[in-house]
Amino acid sequence: MKAKALVLIIAGMVMLAGMSVADQPTKKQNKGAEKIELFGGKKGKIPFPHHTHQDVLKDCNICHADFPQKAGSIEALKAEGKLKKKQVMNKQCIKCHKKKKRAKERTGPTSCSKCHQKDS
């Protein structure tokens, strides 16, 4: 009985020790590209300061709950009918920017034309 309890205690200690080592960052997290250019349709491309958004939002799932962390994923989901046109920009981007503006916080553009850039 004592041997069994000792084995369980040792196993628990090993698990805890392994967890604390695993929880410590051993290498820099891949944060993706610093800046991304999103497809903006006829209105023009959208330069997106990716790292700035990561620093402000802290939680990648705020955006990436709707689309995977993969280049071209928004357009692919639109083509598959899983995202509606403007769904991400209107329901997430502009909505968040307007909320921050109302709170008198620093924010990004709150209108379509401020983000979309037509090629010259």
Side-chain angles (χ1 to χ4, degrees), residues 10-48:
I10 292 172
M13 289 172 54
V14 168
M15 284 176 49
L16 286 173
M19 286 173 57
S20 63
V21 170
D23 291 345
Q24 294 177 3
T26 54
K27 63 179 181 176
K28 191 174 180 180
Q29 180 185 4
N30 180 0
K31 293 178 69 175
E34 180 179 351
K35 295 179 182 179
I36 298 171
E37 189 173 278
L38 301 172
F39 175 74
K42 294 176 187 174
K43 290 186 180 257
K45 62 187 174 189
I46 303 165
F48 182 74

Short mmCIF file of all heavy atoms in Angstrom, two decimals, residues 10-48:
data_model
loop_
_atom_site.label_atom_id
_atom_site.label_comp_id
_atom_site.label_asym_id
_atom_site.label_seq_id
_atom_site.Cartn_x
_atom_site.Cartn_y
_atom_site.Cartn_z
N ILE A 10 5.28 10.11 -6.74
CA ILE A 10 6.41 10.35 -7.65
C ILE A 10 5.88 10.65 -9.05
O ILE A 10 6.35 11.57 -9.72
CB ILE A 10 7.38 9.15 -7.65
CG1 ILE A 10 8.10 9.07 -6.30
CG2 ILE A 10 8.39 9.27 -8.80
CD1 ILE A 10 8.93 7.83 -6.10
N ALA A 11 4.88 9.88 -9.49
CA ALA A 11 4.30 10.10 -10.82
C ALA A 11 3.71 11.51 -10.90
O ALA A 11 3.87 12.22 -11.89
CB ALA A 11 3.25 9.05 -11.13
N GLY A 12 3.01 11.94 -9.86
CA GLY A 12 2.43 13.28 -9.82
C GLY A 12 3.50 14.35 -9.87
O GLY A 12 3.36 15.36 -10.58
N MET A 13 4.60 14.15 -9.14
CA MET A 13 5.70 15.12 -9.14
C MET A 13 6.34 15.21 -10.52
O MET A 13 6.66 16.30 -10.99
CB MET A 13 6.72 14.74 -8.06
CG MET A 13 6.20 14.97 -6.65
SD MET A 13 7.28 14.32 -5.35
CE MET A 13 8.84 15.06 -5.70
N VAL A 14 6.52 14.07 -11.17
CA VAL A 14 7.10 14.05 -12.51
C VAL A 14 6.19 14.80 -13.49
O VAL A 14 6.65 15.60 -14.30
CB VAL A 14 7.35 12.60 -12.99
CG1 VAL A 14 7.68 12.55 -14.47
CG2 VAL A 14 8.45 11.96 -12.17
N MET A 15 4.88 14.57 -13.38
CA MET A 15 3.93 15.27 -14.25
C MET A 15 3.98 16.78 -14.01
O MET A 15 4.00 17.56 -14.95
CB MET A 15 2.51 14.75 -14.02
CG MET A 15 2.25 13.39 -14.65
SD MET A 15 0.61 12.72 -14.30
CE MET A 15 -0.46 14.07 -14.68
N LEU A 16 4.00 17.18 -12.76
CA LEU A 16 4.05 18.62 -12.45
C LEU A 16 5.35 19.24 -12.96
O LEU A 16 5.35 20.35 -13.49
CB LEU A 16 3.91 18.86 -10.95
CG LEU A 16 2.50 18.65 -10.39
CD1 LEU A 16 2.52 18.76 -8.87
CD2 LEU A 16 1.54 19.66 -10.97
N ALA A 17 6.45 18.53 -12.78
CA ALA A 17 7.74 19.04 -13.24
C ALA A 17 7.72 19.18 -14.76
O ALA A 17 8.19 20.18 -15.32
CB ALA A 17 8.87 18.12 -12.81
N GLY A 18 7.15 18.20 -15.44
CA GLY A 18 7.05 18.25 -16.90
C GLY A 18 6.17 19.40 -17.37
O GLY A 18 6.47 20.07 -18.33
N MET A 19 5.08 19.65 -16.63
CA MET A 19 4.18 20.74 -17.01
C MET A 19 4.85 22.08 -16.86
O MET A 19 4.75 22.94 -17.72
CB MET A 19 2.91 20.70 -16.16
CG MET A 19 1.96 19.58 -16.54
SD MET A 19 0.56 19.41 -15.43
CE MET A 19 -0.16 21.03 -15.50
N SER A 20 5.58 22.28 -15.80
CA SER A 20 6.20 23.59 -15.59
C SER A 20 7.27 23.85 -16.65
O SER A 20 7.43 24.96 -17.10
CB SER A 20 6.78 23.70 -14.18
OG SER A 20 7.81 22.75 -14.00
N VAL A 21 7.97 22.83 -17.07
CA VAL A 21 8.96 22.99 -18.13
C VAL A 21 8.26 23.24 -19.45
O VAL A 21 8.66 24.11 -20.23
CB VAL A 21 9.88 21.74 -18.22
CG1 VAL A 21 10.75 21.78 -19.46
CG2 VAL A 21 10.72 21.61 -16.97
N ALA A 22 7.18 22.52 -19.73
CA ALA A 22 6.46 22.66 -20.98
C ALA A 22 5.79 24.03 -21.10
O ALA A 22 5.64 24.56 -22.18
CB ALA A 22 5.41 21.56 -21.11
N ASP A 23 5.37 24.58 -19.95
CA ASP A 23 4.68 25.87 -19.98
C ASP A 23 5.62 27.04 -20.22
O ASP A 23 5.18 28.12 -20.57
CB ASP A 23 3.93 26.10 -18.66
CG ASP A 23 2.75 25.16 -18.51
OD1 ASP A 23 2.34 24.54 -19.52
OD2 ASP A 23 2.23 25.05 -17.40
N GLN A 24 6.91 26.84 -20.02
CA GLN A 24 7.86 27.92 -20.22
C GLN A 24 8.19 28.03 -21.70
O GLN A 24 8.43 27.03 -22.37
CB GLN A 24 9.15 27.65 -19.44
CG GLN A 24 8.94 27.67 -17.95
CD GLN A 24 10.21 27.34 -17.21
OE1 GLN A 24 11.26 27.14 -17.81
NE2 GLN A 24 10.13 27.28 -15.89
N PRO A 25 8.18 29.26 -22.25
CA PRO A 25 8.51 29.41 -23.66
C PRO A 25 9.97 29.06 -23.92
O PRO A 25 10.85 29.62 -23.31
CB PRO A 25 8.23 30.89 -23.95
CG PRO A 25 8.21 31.57 -22.62
CD PRO A 25 7.90 30.52 -21.59
N THR A 26 10.17 28.11 -24.81
CA THR A 26 11.53 27.71 -25.13
C THR A 26 12.01 28.37 -26.41
O THR A 26 13.19 28.46 -26.66
CB THR A 26 11.63 26.18 -25.28
OG1 THR A 26 10.67 25.75 -26.24
CG2 THR A 26 11.37 25.49 -23.95
N LYS A 27 11.06 28.82 -27.24
CA LYS A 27 11.42 29.54 -28.45
C LYS A 27 10.35 30.58 -28.73
O LYS A 27 9.24 30.51 -28.22
CB LYS A 27 11.58 28.59 -29.63
CG LYS A 27 10.32 27.85 -30.03
CD LYS A 27 10.59 26.95 -31.21
CE LYS A 27 9.30 26.23 -31.60
NZ LYS A 27 9.45 25.44 -32.77
N LYS A 28 10.70 31.54 -29.53
CA LYS A 28 9.77 32.62 -29.84
C LYS A 28 8.57 32.08 -30.62
O LYS A 28 8.72 31.31 -31.55
CB LYS A 28 10.50 33.69 -30.67
CG LYS A 28 9.72 34.95 -30.84
CD LYS A 28 10.55 35.99 -31.54
CE LYS A 28 9.75 37.26 -31.71
NZ LYS A 28 10.51 38.29 -32.38
N GLN A 29 7.37 32.50 -30.20
CA GLN A 29 6.14 32.06 -30.86
C GLN A 29 6.08 32.63 -32.27
O GLN A 29 6.43 33.77 -32.50
CB GLN A 29 4.95 32.55 -30.05
CG GLN A 29 3.63 32.16 -30.65
CD GLN A 29 2.46 32.77 -29.88
OE1 GLN A 29 2.65 33.53 -28.97
NE2 GLN A 29 1.26 32.42 -30.28
N ASN A 30 5.62 31.83 -33.21
CA ASN A 30 5.44 32.29 -34.58
C ASN A 30 4.20 33.19 -34.61
O ASN A 30 3.09 32.74 -34.45
CB ASN A 30 5.25 31.11 -35.53
CG ASN A 30 5.05 31.56 -36.97
OD1 ASN A 30 5.05 32.74 -37.28
ND2 ASN A 30 4.89 30.60 -37.84
N LYS A 31 4.43 34.47 -34.82
CA LYS A 31 3.34 35.44 -34.83
C LYS A 31 2.85 35.73 -36.24
O LYS A 31 2.04 36.61 -36.44
CB LYS A 31 3.80 36.74 -34.17
CG LYS A 31 4.07 36.61 -32.68
CD LYS A 31 4.56 37.90 -32.09
CE LYS A 31 3.47 38.94 -32.08
NZ LYS A 31 3.83 40.19 -31.43
N GLY A 32 3.35 35.02 -37.23
CA GLY A 32 2.95 35.29 -38.60
C GLY A 32 3.64 36.54 -39.12
O GLY A 32 4.52 37.11 -38.48
N ALA A 33 3.21 36.98 -40.28
CA ALA A 33 3.82 38.14 -40.91
C ALA A 33 3.51 39.41 -40.12
O ALA A 33 2.45 39.54 -39.53
CB ALA A 33 3.29 38.29 -42.33
N GLU A 34 4.47 40.33 -40.14
CA GLU A 34 4.27 41.61 -39.44
C GLU A 34 3.14 42.40 -40.10
O GLU A 34 2.28 42.97 -39.44
CB GLU A 34 5.55 42.43 -39.46
CG GLU A 34 5.40 43.77 -38.75
CD GLU A 34 6.68 44.58 -38.76
OE1 GLU A 34 7.74 44.07 -39.14
OE2 GLU A 34 6.60 45.76 -38.36
N LYS A 35 3.17 42.43 -41.42
CA LYS A 35 2.13 43.11 -42.19
C LYS A 35 1.60 42.15 -43.24
O LYS A 35 2.35 41.39 -43.83
CB LYS A 35 2.70 44.36 -42.86
CG LYS A 35 3.14 45.40 -41.85
CD LYS A 35 3.72 46.61 -42.52
CE LYS A 35 4.18 47.58 -41.44
NZ LYS A 35 4.77 48.78 -41.97
N ILE A 36 0.31 42.21 -43.47
CA ILE A 36 -0.35 41.33 -44.43
C ILE A 36 -1.13 42.21 -45.40
O ILE A 36 -1.68 43.24 -45.01
CB ILE A 36 -1.31 40.36 -43.70
CG1 ILE A 36 -0.54 39.46 -42.75
CG2 ILE A 36 -2.11 39.53 -44.70
CD1 ILE A 36 -1.41 38.62 -41.85
N GLU A 37 -1.20 41.78 -46.63
CA GLU A 37 -2.03 42.48 -47.61
C GLU A 37 -3.24 41.59 -47.91
O GLU A 37 -3.08 40.49 -48.41
CB GLU A 37 -1.24 42.75 -48.88
CG GLU A 37 -1.95 43.66 -49.84
CD GLU A 37 -1.06 44.03 -51.01
OE1 GLU A 37 -0.25 44.96 -50.84
OE2 GLU A 37 -1.17 43.38 -52.06
N LEU A 38 -4.41 42.08 -47.56
CA LEU A 38 -5.63 41.31 -47.77
C LEU A 38 -6.27 41.69 -49.10
O LEU A 38 -6.21 42.84 -49.52
CB LEU A 38 -6.63 41.59 -46.64
CG LEU A 38 -6.16 41.26 -45.23
CD1 LEU A 38 -7.17 41.75 -44.20
CD2 LEU A 38 -5.92 39.77 -45.07
N PHE A 39 -6.91 40.72 -49.72
CA PHE A 39 -7.63 40.97 -50.96
C PHE A 39 -8.88 41.79 -50.63
O PHE A 39 -9.65 41.42 -49.76
CB PHE A 39 -8.02 39.64 -51.61
CG PHE A 39 -8.87 39.80 -52.84
CD1 PHE A 39 -8.31 40.25 -54.02
CD2 PHE A 39 -10.22 39.52 -52.80
CE1 PHE A 39 -9.09 40.40 -55.16
CE2 PHE A 39 -11.02 39.66 -53.93
CZ PHE A 39 -10.45 40.12 -55.11
N GLY A 40 -9.06 42.90 -51.31
CA GLY A 40 -10.19 43.78 -51.02
C GLY A 40 -11.16 43.93 -52.15
O GLY A 40 -11.93 44.89 -52.18
N GLY A 41 -11.11 43.03 -53.11
CA GLY A 41 -12.05 43.08 -54.23
C GLY A 41 -11.87 44.30 -55.09
O GLY A 41 -10.75 44.81 -55.24
N LYS A 42 -12.97 44.80 -55.64
CA LYS A 42 -12.92 45.94 -56.55
C LYS A 42 -12.48 47.23 -55.86
O LYS A 42 -11.99 48.14 -56.51
CB LYS A 42 -14.31 46.17 -57.17
CG LYS A 42 -14.76 45.05 -58.07
CD LYS A 42 -16.17 45.29 -58.56
CE LYS A 42 -16.67 44.08 -59.32
NZ LYS A 42 -18.08 44.21 -59.68
N LYS A 43 -12.67 47.30 -54.57
CA LYS A 43 -12.30 48.52 -53.83
C LYS A 43 -10.79 48.64 -53.62
O LYS A 43 -10.31 49.66 -53.21
CB LYS A 43 -13.02 48.56 -52.48
CG LYS A 43 -14.50 48.79 -52.60
CD LYS A 43 -15.11 48.97 -51.22
CE LYS A 43 -16.58 49.19 -51.34
NZ LYS A 43 -16.95 50.58 -51.18
N GLY A 44 -10.06 47.57 -53.84
CA GLY A 44 -8.60 47.60 -53.71
C GLY A 44 -8.09 46.83 -52.50
O GLY A 44 -8.85 46.49 -51.60
N LYS A 45 -6.82 46.57 -52.53
CA LYS A 45 -6.17 45.77 -51.48
C LYS A 45 -6.26 46.48 -50.12
O LYS A 45 -6.49 47.69 -50.04
CB LYS A 45 -4.72 45.51 -51.86
CG LYS A 45 -3.89 46.77 -51.97
CD LYS A 45 -2.53 46.50 -52.51
CE LYS A 45 -1.82 47.84 -52.74
NZ LYS A 45 -0.60 47.70 -53.45
N ILE A 46 -6.07 45.69 -49.07
CA ILE A 46 -6.14 46.21 -47.70
C ILE A 46 -4.83 45.89 -46.99
O ILE A 46 -4.55 44.74 -46.68
CB ILE A 46 -7.31 45.56 -46.93
CG1 ILE A 46 -8.62 45.78 -47.68
CG2 ILE A 46 -7.38 46.10 -45.51
CD1 ILE A 46 -9.73 44.89 -47.20
N PRO A 47 -4.01 46.91 -46.72
CA PRO A 47 -2.81 46.66 -45.92
C PRO A 47 -3.24 46.42 -44.47
O PRO A 47 -4.02 47.19 -43.91
CB PRO A 47 -2.00 47.94 -46.07
CG PRO A 47 -2.94 48.97 -46.55
CD PRO A 47 -4.13 48.28 -47.15
N PHE A 48 -2.76 45.34 -43.89
CA PHE A 48 -3.20 44.96 -42.54
C PHE A 48 -1.99 44.82 -41.61
O PHE A 48 -1.16 43.94 -41.79
CB PHE A 48 -3.97 43.63 -42.61
CG PHE A 48 -4.49 43.17 -41.29
CD1 PHE A 48 -5.58 43.79 -40.70
CD2 PHE A 48 -3.88 42.12 -40.62
CE1 PHE A 48 -6.06 43.36 -39.47
CE2 PHE A 48 -4.36 41.69 -39.40
CZ PHE A 48 -5.44 42.31 -38.82
#
